Amino acid sequence: MRISNLVRVIFIFFSVQFSLFSGELRNGVILISRRAKNQEFLIVSPFQKLLSLLGNGLQTGLNFDEGIELFRQIERLRLSVEETEDFYSFIANNLVDFLVVSERSGIRIDLLDIRDLFSAAQNYALGIRRDELGLNRGGRALLNKMLSVKDIKIIGEQLLEALDSSFNNGRIDKANYLKYRERLEIITLMAGLWATSPVSSKSMLRALEGGNTAIMAANTQMSVSIPGLMLASLEFGAPLMFESAMSEVNLQDPNDPAKIAIGYIGRNPQEFAEVVRYYAFLLGYDLPYAIHADHTTVSKDTAEAIDYAKRLNQAQLSAGYTSFAIDPSSLPAVREDTQLKTLNAMEVEEFLRLGFDESLAKTLAAREFKKLKELSSIEGIDERKINILMDYIESQILVAVLNKMGYEDLMSIPRMPGTIARAIVENGPFTSLEELKEIDGLGDDDIFYIEGIDNAVLLFDYLKAYLDLKRIIEINIELAKFIPEEFGLEVEVGHIGRVDPLTGEAVMTTPLEAVVLIEALQRFGIKPQLLAVNNGTKHGIVFIGGKEVPTTVDVKRTDEIASAIRPLGVSLAQHGTTGTPFEVIKDQLAGNILKANVGTEWRRTVLRSMPLDLFYRMVEWTVEEEKRKAPEKFSGLLPVRSYTREQLLSSECPYYALIIDPIKRAIGVFRAEIDNISGEDLDLIVETTREVAREYFTAFNALEKVWKIVKYLGWGW
């Protein structure tokens, strides 16, 4: 009963106005008028308008607020397994003779189709995800195949016709007719909710790993981005995930539960997931998709920060997220704050031991540095001396980590021989990492090989990388304990956008760092599918000299890291994809990445297409907010409305670099207006989003690849 993608998109997008059951709304109830032989009757159906949402597209005559409220009513509907089984027995005993070929579909359903409908409703009630069944892999439910929304509507329509015929022929009385009609409507709604619900990203990733395809993870800061992406996914058969980051969607302020700004898009996890499911239900989007919790960030190593991350993940789990990313990547042992702390604590004697003359040693010891780049302004210090100093500082930081470790701690390090662990304990504590090289097995000649890394690796360097990442590993382990194993998991090493505090250049993740993190997590039973790294990209749009420039990606480093983690069963997640040229993605990246985050692009797309007055007000609000921080940046600029929308969204405009990123903070302020964009304005947003999505799907080699996931899941489509 599955129709082609193109026909299906036309059916959904242009919203062929056919409802499973037709009726007229009067004073809040639906009056259904039917002629049965020589009689007429009216049926009060409280679920009629709810059914009109299922798969009927955007042109429902409802605004967003009305539609989402109806959807909430739908999600609260439940029949027990016993009630559905009772109804199924009733159908098998009373209605089968009345099932006929549908005039609308030209299809006659049978008991297997009906069993599938009822099983779908039961699975929804029991909280069983669609990817848990494994229809062709020995799964739980007695399903012949996974029903599409179109299938559900056809089966529901024919069951209603059979119910009518049975009543009109005197086989059932009016009381039972009304009882089972209501149950049929609820079962249809429950089946529709199940058919459009998210699946675990783990199954999606497994289906496509090792190929040449990346799944787009769309960061939909504005709700009106969602329908265009879903329709594009349907049309082009491309896999899709929806994601939100902690900065956008988080928990309410415990000191002010009524606070509107819950993250800068003004939603909590429950609301974000609800909006995604609402549009899936409305559009009949029944392809496998996931809802991803991007960047559960722990940027401060405090109990409060870690506890907040746990509570956020719990809220996301309760909301129905099916994919998670843990991100304490900004907390390596060696970072600017720990380097500054070590530098500012150094005495004159330490500088002298490094070979610095007395005058320079006294100058450095007396200085309270606020930034490491201040070193270059000190008279008498050159690049060679700075490198010596920074190597010493790194050694001091890492040896402090090492000296706190006992034998059991050392043995938790992957690839650590027991003999070396014992020798470290016996010879410690150490004053410098260089002292470790005197231990047999940690010298300059003690090398080994890691599958996927071309060059030999020193165990000494492996140990250094572990010491630097030790706290990141521990936080990952702590947070991952609260995420069920059946969900997809992404971790990160090498903070995205991290730069060297001395040079300002990007600090790229190394293949060794990637391997150490993954091997350490796997040692503790944590098995992520994805790893995010710093391969040169940044979140948002990159500007140089006030002008937008393409994102720089180190393709060679990306290939090296992907090759290093592939033997460990892990693939790369590409962050900061907006701004990366499509030809670079398609020809040089797609084969090495399995998930690609796209967020800023959808914000720009909506800004280009939303109602003009709303656009100007969002820009003006942003300008006023930014002026409070740095009024000098706006000195001499003409009023916002002196420029056209096209000019304001051009990198040639003096406002563009000042507002294109911070305007995201206006989303929560104007959320209600954005949500309720409708008519031609919404049509334009949907169409432009669909067109841009097609370009990304093409670049990710994702066209028609969703069917590989469907086949992997064994859905029988």
Side-chain angles (χ1 to χ4, degrees), residues 546-547 633-634 637-638 643 647-648 650-659:
K547 301 296 181 183
K633 292 183 178 180
F634 296 86
L637 294 183
L638 295 172
Y643 300 89
Q647 288 172 327
L648 287 167
S650 165
S651 62
E652 300 301 316
C653 179
Y655 274 110
Y656 182 70
L658 298 174
I659 60 99

Side-chain angles (χ1 to χ4, degrees), residues 104-128:
R104 196 185 309 276
S105 66
I107 296 169
R108 182 185 187 278
I109 65 170
D110 56 27
L111 277 175
L112 273 179
D113 295 317
I114 299 167
R115 178 74 259 178
D116 288 344
L117 178 73
F118 279 63
S119 291
Q122 290 173 349
N123 288 328
Y124 176 74
L126 294 170
I128 298 170

Side-chain angles (χ1 to χ4, degrees), residues 537-564:
T537 63
K538 295 180 180 179
H539 294 119
I541 298 170
V542 179
F543 294 93
I544 296 179
K547 301 296 181 183
E548 182 179 348
V549 297
T551 302
T552 301
V553 178
D554 191 318
V555 175
K556 183 175 184 295
R557 178 61 58 87
T558 304
D559 182 66
E560 291 170 346
I561 297 172
S563 298

